[in-house]
Amino acid sequence: MIRNTLAALVLSLACAASAFAATPVDVNHADAQTIATSLDGIGMSKANAIVAWRNEHGSFKSVDDLRQIKG
């Protein structure tokens, strides 16, 4: 029972992760166009916000830094 639950959790996490990244991208160096076309669900507006935040605050140090971007 625990083994099946663990397997289901791992599978759901793997599916969730693949839903966000179409192509790996380095958000600390990529331009807005590359970010928008590489990440599913991220359009030009959000990609521009990512680049603007990076330009103002420096490189992202963790995923938590991305939470600082509104939206």
Side-chain angles (χ1 to χ4, degrees), residues 11-59:
L11 181 59
S12 66
L13 289 174
C15 291
S18 67
F20 292 109
T23 305
V25 62
D26 182 350
V27 294
N28 282 324
H29 296 100
D31 61 15
Q33 182 63 49
T34 301
I35 292 170
T37 57
S38 297
L39 299 177
D40 291 341
I42 302 294
M44 278 305 297
S45 178
K46 181 59 65 187
N48 283 324
I50 291 169
V51 171
W53 191 96
R54 181 184 73 205
N55 290 340
E56 185 175 334
H57 298 95
S59 295

